[in-house]
Amino acid sequence: MLLPLQQGVLYGPVKSRRYGLSLGINLMPGGYKLCSLNCVYCHYGLTAVCTTDMKPHEVDLPRVGTVARAFEEKLRSSARIDVITFSGNGEPTLHPRFPEMVDEVVRLRDKHRPSARVVLLSNSTGLASEAVRKSLAKIDLPILKLDVGTEKAFKMINRPSRQVRFEDIVHRLTGLQNIYLQTVFVDGEQSNTSRSDIIAWMALIRNIRPREVHMYSIDRPVPSTEITLVSPARLEEIASVAYRQTGVTVKAFYAKRSTLGA
Ligand code: SF4
């Protein structure tokens, strides 16, 4: 079964493979998926509305005050929270008030749970906004998606909305400091693991120079029947080559985690 969509602004805390108990913040609408991509492997299923234009959907988006109140109430509870994660039913950085959301979440985290880290899981398309790019510096772990090395593969795997251009994403990622990249590899009819795919992807990593690259494959049902999982052995092989070729720390995540270079 695909993951059920979030209905409200908060979810969890849920156990995360990497970070312990994660309190999720959903800045997209409750009950439907609004995203600038329609990735073949998305565990939330197909994107209902694929766009970067939030104007027609603003009425469905949570307000800063609503998020802050719900968040503070949760922080005051006895729930254990190791990390606070911006994620949810689509792309959080597309919320028109995303920078203010970050300010509020960081302020309340500092007040109530200073040891909890703030994480962003983003598909990198919101980086078109300078304010969003600046707000990344306030987030402990800004994790940005880069699954492929070419526009052709981007269209096949990530299926962007018509406003999104791959070269713009790469350009903006290259201008950022202290970011983490996340890559999901898939096989089957739509694959991003051929030799030429990996060479193109590594070339971008070499230029972007993130702090780390986190690699995954799929581990839950996905909307496309044409894709399959990449084996842990193959993930290890890609991680090993990528570390040798780029000098960047590469971590492959599956049931048993492996780290190269950290
Ligand atoms: S960017 Fe994330 S939420 Fe959007 S379709 Fe891809 S995996 Fe799903």
Side-chain angles (χ1 to χ4, degrees):
M1 236 178 67
L2 295 166
L3 282 181
L5 287 160
Q6 307 305 332
Q7 299 300 318
V9 295
L10 296 183
Y11 56 99
V14 291
K15 188 136 183 47
S16 133
R17 271 188 286 181
R18 284 170 287 177
Y19 305 117
L21 284 170
S22 165
L23 176 65
I25 301 180
N26 171 36
L27 300 184
M28 290 293 102
Y32 74 93
K33 192 171 143 211
L34 174 56
C35 193
S36 42
L37 303 182
N38 185 17
C39 305
V40 288
Y41 56 76
C42 184
H43 297 315
Y44 281 122
L46 297 173
T47 301
V49 183
C50 192
T51 184
T52 58
D53 182 8
M54 294 294 109
K55 269 260 173 308
H57 309 284
E58 272 184 28
V59 62
D60 296 335
L61 301 179
R63 293 168 184 270
V64 178
T66 308
V67 173
R69 274 190 298 280
F71 182 56
E72 185 160 32
E73 195 179 317
K74 195 73 174 183
L75 296 184
R76 283 193 165 126
S77 76
S78 59
R80 187 181 132 201
I81 298 167
D82 300 316
V83 295
I84 296 144
T85 307
F86 286 103
S87 184
N89 298 347
E91 173 49 33
T93 63
L94 293 180
H95 191 294
R97 312 269 307 265
F98 177 76
E100 290 160 75
M101 295 283 190
V102 171
D103 288 344
E104 274 300 274
V105 164
V106 169
R107 180 180 73 77
L108 293 168
R109 182 277 312 268
D110 291 348
K111 183 173 167 194
H112 296 285
R113 306 283 184 121
S115 64
R117 290 183 296 170
V118 177
V119 177
L120 167 67
L121 295 180
S122 166
N123 69 16
S124 311
T125 59
L127 299 175
S129 155
E130 191 186 352
V132 168
R133 295 199 298 276
K134 281 189 176 157
S135 70
L136 297 188
K138 301 172 188 171
I139 294 170
D140 300 300
L141 290 164
I143 302 175
L144 300 161
K145 182 185 292 300
L146 182 72
D147 292 336
V148 294
T150 64
E151 175 96 38
K152 189 171 168 221
F154 182 61
K155 285 188 169 149
M156 179 177 62
I157 300 292
N158 300 111
R159 303 187 298 193
S161 71
R162 59 179 176 76
Q163 305 101 332
V164 174
R165 288 180 39 195
F166 183 62
E167 68 182 86
D168 292 339
I169 290 178
V170 171
H171 176 70
R172 287 170 190 136
L173 286 172
T174 308
L176 293 171
Q177 308 278 321
N178 289 324
I179 56 165
Y180 295 74
L181 290 183
Q182 177 173 293
T183 300
V184 177
F185 284 115
V186 293
D187 261 335
E189 283 188 36
Q190 292 146 319
S191 166
N192 53 350
T193 62
S194 71
R195 189 165 178 274
S196 60
D197 285 327
I198 301 298
I199 289 171
W201 171 78
M202 288 190 304
L204 298 184
I205 290 171
R206 210 178 288 120
N207 284 341
I208 295 168
R209 304 224 63 77
R211 288 185 73 144
E212 293 177 357
V213 178
H214 297 171
M215 293 171 30
Y216 297 84
S217 189
I218 50 180
D219 62 355
R220 296 189 181 99
V222 294
S224 170
T225 53
E226 295 172 353
I227 59 168
T228 55
L229 138 156
V230 176
S231 71
R234 176 70 176 133
L235 283 182
E236 287 286 11
E237 190 188 326
I238 296 170
S240 173
V241 171
Y243 173 58
R244 281 204 311 276
Q245 296 288 323
T246 67
V248 173
T249 295
V250 180
K251 296 180 176 177
F253 290 87
Y254 44 90
K256 176 179 161 293
R257 203 201 79 186
S258 155
T259 301
L260 289 162

